[in-house]
Amino acid sequence: MILVKFVGGAKKSFITDQVQIDKSDIPLQDLIDLILQLKPENTPILDVENILIAINGIDSSAIDGKSTIIKNNDLVSIIPIIHGGSSKRLVFDISNKLIQAIEFKGEKDMDVKYIDVLRKQFPKVKLQAISSNFILNKSHLRKIISLSVNSDKNNTLLSNKFEIDILMRFAISSQISFAINSAGIKSKQNFILIALGSKKNLDKLYDELKYQSVNVFEIDNTLFIKKYFNITNKQLDTILSDDPLVDLLVEKAAILF
């Protein structure tokens, strides 16, 4: 038997603070699927992409992520990262790496030097700032970062730095200088700060920056992206996908070399 505890907003989705699952020795992903089947109708959706899952008090991302085997008598805690429905912070894991994204309204003093200061302040966190114009939505964000994470794992990064690889893929350019000039942070322009690190360090980073942040993806950048990359509706109509623009952008980013 597995005991699942719901913390914060997760309680509203299940109208209880805990459930017992009569299973054992199953992957965490299977447990998540079982939990979602138990959710009552007409209750708030549980965003499984924005939760932390602790197993006996240990963050699952520090074990084997969603492949972690949940054993008999384990205590699994479901903890929403975005409490109260805030959309100022996105947190998700990719291949056991925890990623955080925060959007900022561009200010005069927010440029490359600003990011360099943050890197010195948070040396254990990998940081990259991308112009908000070049990120379409959460799916686009996640899929591009997945490309960089997998490239890092396979030693096939476009650059010798993970952070630069991310920038190049959002810019869809194999030239670092071009990627920086096009999709990099610029004074007075909105940008999204992408951070990779431990939960503890990402929480510290967010606490430092949350009052400067704005809601993520409030502005629809579809027209800008289509125009910038010369993408036509005719091209998109040939793609069998729920989000053809995202898939086309990711495909272009995946074949850079």
Side-chain angles (χ1 to χ4, degrees), residues 22-118:
D22 191 20
K23 297 278 187 179
S24 63
D25 299 314
I26 60 173
L28 177 56
Q29 181 61 64
D30 289 359
L31 178 64
I32 294 172
D33 293 340
L34 287 170
I35 292 170
L36 291 177
Q37 292 175 20
L38 297 175
K39 191 183 87 66
E41 294 183 3
N42 302 319
T43 60
I45 295 172
L46 179 67
D47 184 358
V48 295
E49 300 298 335
N50 277 308
I51 58 174
L52 286 180
I53 302 177
I55 302 167
N56 300 320
I58 301 174
D59 188 344
S60 62
S61 65
I63 310 175
D64 287 322
K66 292 180 181 178
S67 298
T68 303
I69 300 299
I70 311 301
K71 300 177 181 178
N72 191 39
N73 294 324
D74 275 352
L75 170 62
V76 178
S77 301
I78 307 294
I79 309 163
I81 293 173
I82 303 176
H83 297 283
S86 169
S87 57
K88 287 191 173 185
R89 181 192 193 195
L90 296 177
V91 181
F92 48 88
D93 73 88
I94 298 174
S95 298
N96 298 329
K97 295 184 183 295
L98 203 58
I99 313 292
Q100 174 176 271
I102 312 170
E103 185 163 0
F104 297 86
K105 183 178 180 180
E107 302 288 349
K108 185 177 180 180
D109 59 347
M110 284 186 167
D111 53 16
V112 175
K113 292 180 181 179
Y114 175 78
I115 302 302
D116 287 340
V117 170
L118 286 178

Side-chain angles (χ1 to χ4, degrees), residues 143-157:
K143 288 181 178 181
I144 292 294
I145 296 176
S146 292
L147 290 178
S148 295
V149 169
N150 290 329
S151 294
D152 189 24
K153 187 187 301 183
N154 297 320
N155 295 316
T156 56
L157 288 172

Side-chain angles (χ1 to χ4, degrees), residues 121-149:
Q121 189 176 352
F122 297 92
K124 294 184 179 180
V125 178
K126 292 183 179 180
L127 295 170
Q128 185 56 279
I130 308 293
S131 168
S132 297
N133 289 337
F134 285 79
I135 306 181
L136 185 61
N137 53 32
K138 181 180 175 181
S139 175
H140 182 212
L141 174 73
R142 186 183 181 99
K143 288 181 178 181
I144 292 294
I145 296 176
S146 292
L147 290 178
S148 295
V149 169

Side-chain angles (χ1 to χ4, degrees), residues 160-178:
N160 59 359
K161 286 189 176 182
F162 175 81
E163 303 93 310
I164 298 297
D165 186 275
I166 291 175
L167 176 63
M168 295 171 73
R169 293 186 192 278
F170 277 114
I172 310 182
S173 173
S174 57
Q175 298 182 15
I176 296 176
S177 59
F178 181 85

